[in-house]
Amino acid sequence: MGLKVCKFGGSSVADGIQLAKIKEIVNADPERRYVVVSAPGKRFQGDSKITDLLFLCKTQKDHNIPYEQLFQAVCDRFSAIKYSLNIEADLDAELETIRKALDEGCSEDYIVSRGEYLSAYLIAAYLGFDFVDTKGLVLFDKRGRLMAEETNEALKAELAKHEYAVIPGFFGSDAETGEIKLLSRGGSDVTGSLVARAVDAEMYENWTDVSGLLMADPRIIDKPKPIERISYMELRELSYMGASVLHEDAVFPARAADIPINIRNTNVPEDPGTVITGDMDACGDKIISGIAGKKDFTVIDIYKNMMNKEVGFVRKVLMILEENHINFDHMPTGIDSLSVVIESSELKGKLEDVVEAFEQRLAADAIEVHDNISMVAVVGAGMRRNPGSSARILSAIAGEGVNLRMVNQSTYEISVILGIETPDFEKTIKAIYREFDK
Ligand code: ASP
């Protein structure tokens, strides 16, 4: 078997008990050579994540509110981990450096990144692996954008010097100034993927607290089936609709190098989890891989006689959205009508301006706004091979009396997206799941 990169999330590194589990997992396979870690997360309901505490320390400091006690709570969490596992590491010296930086007004990105830094520092000592800092390896440009190729080269060169290493997730540094920069929340998943690409891993194992993805939300479907295998493309469609255990951007580096991602459960390591691969037929003979949905969309319907003959009409609509910095999700069209489907949060405080601009600049015959719309995505590469799949979806929801407001099939035929009224949300998901669970 080839080399594996393992990323352990916050709950997997929350305390000494969890770390003992990850040691067992890592030691069970000598190919698990590169380990990427998050900062300690919640140990129980109501507990705080180290990352949140560090954000708070900085906010309190900036507002001249005493923050020493809060920072001490962070120190205590790391000390408890060190002592519970007898880890030999000079934690006090590291904590002193960080405390001093905080007192002297370090940046938010720096202080928050120390959660992952200390986590990796201790875990490296615990596993007997090298500690490799991502400062100077995960690189950002002046505008804070990740420099994927430069990062790949830098990680590749550094990791070639380490046979076994623990690497902190979530941060890197500005390529010019060397200042610490954070990825977005949950970004350790991205670091894991970057490392997997750089070392040309055979598998990127992403260890978390669930045994992979489920075919539907368990709050809606009782005991939905697990997804054993799924393609990157299908996963993108599902996670776009909110059904993800993985950071949105984590797929890209692994996908660029065609490295499968395996979502695994640290607490139930014998579960095979979900494997995400480039193989569009990953789901075998299944028609549907999963169903996901999102609430709170607004639809703006625009009617205009002879719209189909008016060159540049859609461009005008899109320009108005662009001027208002609004991202739209779908744009179904008829002959003389067009609708834009937008997440309601995007329109906050802007709806009136947008409608006014549509009225003035499009010379439309009518404009209607409908809110309380939900989107449900039925995803499955198997639909490409099975004519009649959409008909089955539509008749399943028609049987439940659901009023379909919009339907959109992706060009690749791997998803059918339905726009429905929000009160029908659960009913729609249940009807489709039932239809394909035969
Ligand atoms: N610790 C960071 C967060 O809570 C990053 C991560 O865990 O991936 O968002």
Side-chain angles (χ1 to χ4, degrees), residues 109-125:
D109 283 20
Y110 172 81
I111 188 68
V112 172
S113 73
R114 297 304 90 180
E116 267 68 15
Y117 175 92
L118 290 171
S119 180
Y121 174 71
L122 286 180
I123 294 170

Side-chain angles (χ1 to χ4, degrees), residues 79-96:
S79 297
I81 290 174
K82 172 180 148 92
Y83 290 110
S84 68
L85 297 169
N86 285 320
I87 299 173
E88 278 189 38
D90 195 355
L91 179 63
D92 288 342
E94 293 290 341
L95 291 174
E96 237 356 86

Side-chain angles (χ1 to χ4, degrees), residues 300 320-327 342-358 369:
I300 307 179
I320 293 169
L321 294 179
E322 192 179 343
E323 284 162 16
N324 286 278
H325 302 284
I326 291 167
N327 192 16
I342 302 168
E343 276 195 57
S344 304
S345 56
E346 286 277 320
L347 286 163
K348 221 166 166 202
K350 298 176 180 171
L351 181 62
E352 279 179 23
D353 289 346
V354 171
V355 173
E356 199 177 290
F358 281 168
V369 178

Side-chain angles (χ1 to χ4, degrees), residues 3 23 44 61 92 94 132 205 257 268 296 346 348 351 354 400 417 420 425:
L3 117 79
K23 188 174 196 167
F44 44 82
K61 158 108 178 105
D92 288 342
E94 293 290 341
V132 175
E205 293 181 339
V268 197
D296 293 323
E346 286 277 320
K348 221 166 166 202
L351 181 62
V354 171
E400 290 295 321
I417 296 171
I420 48 150
F425 187 70

Side-chain angles (χ1 to χ4, degrees), residues 7-171:
K7 180 261 170 179
F8 291 95
S11 60
S12 303
V13 298
D15 57 18
I17 298 170
Q18 292 302 91
L19 289 192
K21 292 182 192 169
I22 78 164
K23 188 174 196 167
E24 215 167 292
I25 291 167
V26 172
N27 287 346
D29 184 347
E31 292 295 352
R32 293 190 172 124
R33 287 173 39 202
Y34 298 102
V35 173
V36 175
V37 293
S38 285
K42 293 184 184 183
R43 293 158 293 182
F44 44 82
Q45 243 195 348
D47 193 19
S48 302
K49 287 178 162 199
I50 290 290
T51 305
D52 293 331
L53 293 178
L54 290 169
F55 269 116
L56 207 54
C57 279
K58 178 66 178 153
T59 310
Q60 299 207 170
K61 158 108 178 105
D62 289 350
H63 290 84
N64 293 320
I65 302 167
Y67 57 88
E68 291 77 7
Q69 238 182 324
L70 206 52
F71 185 68
Q72 192 53 46
V74 172
C75 298
D76 292 347
R77 286 272 310 261
F78 283 109
S79 297
I81 290 174
K82 172 180 148 92
Y83 290 110
S84 68
L85 297 169
N86 285 320
I87 299 173
E88 278 189 38
D90 195 355
L91 179 63
D92 288 342
E94 293 290 341
L95 291 174
E96 237 356 86
T97 309
I98 299 168
R99 191 190 306 268
K100 205 160 157 252
L102 180 61
D103 291 343
E104 288 170 0
C106 65
S107 71
E108 180 176 80
D109 283 20
Y110 172 81
I111 188 68
V112 172
S113 73
R114 297 304 90 180
E116 267 68 15
Y117 175 92
L118 290 171
S119 180
Y121 174 71
L122 286 180
I123 294 170
Y126 178 52
L127 296 178
F129 284 19
D130 296 343
F131 167 66
V132 175
D133 192 353
T134 41
K135 179 177 187 314
L137 298 181
V138 173
L139 300 169
F140 294 86
D141 69 11
K142 266 201 244 52
R143 290 168 61 192
R145 290 172 306 196
L146 183 72
M147 300 162 77
E149 297 315 311
E150 291 80 351
T151 296
N152 190 43
E153 291 309 314
L155 279 172
K156 195 182 281 210
E158 182 59 35
L159 292 173
K161 300 179 204 153
H162 305 269
E163 202 179 352
Y164 290 90
V166 179
I167 302 137
F170 193 36
F171 74 91

Side-chain angles (χ1 to χ4, degrees), residues 253-360:
R255 186 175 174 177
D258 205 14
I259 298 164
I261 305 170
N262 187 191
I263 313 278
R264 301 284 292 266
N265 191 343
T266 301
N267 304 315
V268 197
E270 57 281 13
D271 277 357
T274 301
V275 177
I276 307 151
T277 76
D279 177 9
M280 282 300 269
D281 295 324
C283 60
D285 54 12
K286 282 214 176 79
I287 300 178
I288 295 295
S289 299
I291 309 168
K294 248 193 204 173
K295 294 182 178 172
D296 293 323
F297 285 85
T298 297
V299 178
I300 307 179
D301 292 328
I302 305 165
Y303 302 91
K304 186 173 184 186
N305 273 334
M306 306 298 284
M307 181 191 286
N308 66 327
K309 293 268 184 265
E310 191 174 325
V311 175
F313 189 84
V314 173
R315 182 183 52 79
K316 280 189 226 157
V317 172
L318 295 181
M319 251 173 70
I320 293 169
L321 294 179
E322 192 179 343
E323 284 162 16
N324 286 278
H325 302 284
I326 291 167
N327 192 16
F328 79 96
D329 286 75
H330 302 283
M331 183 177 279
T333 53
I335 300 296
D336 288 332
S337 67
L338 175 159
S339 303
V340 267
V341 184
I342 302 168
E343 276 195 57
S344 304
S345 56
E346 286 277 320
L347 286 163
K348 221 166 166 202
K350 298 176 180 171
L351 181 62
E352 279 179 23
D353 289 346
V354 171
V355 173
E356 199 177 290
F358 281 168
E359 276 165 357
Q360 286 172 359

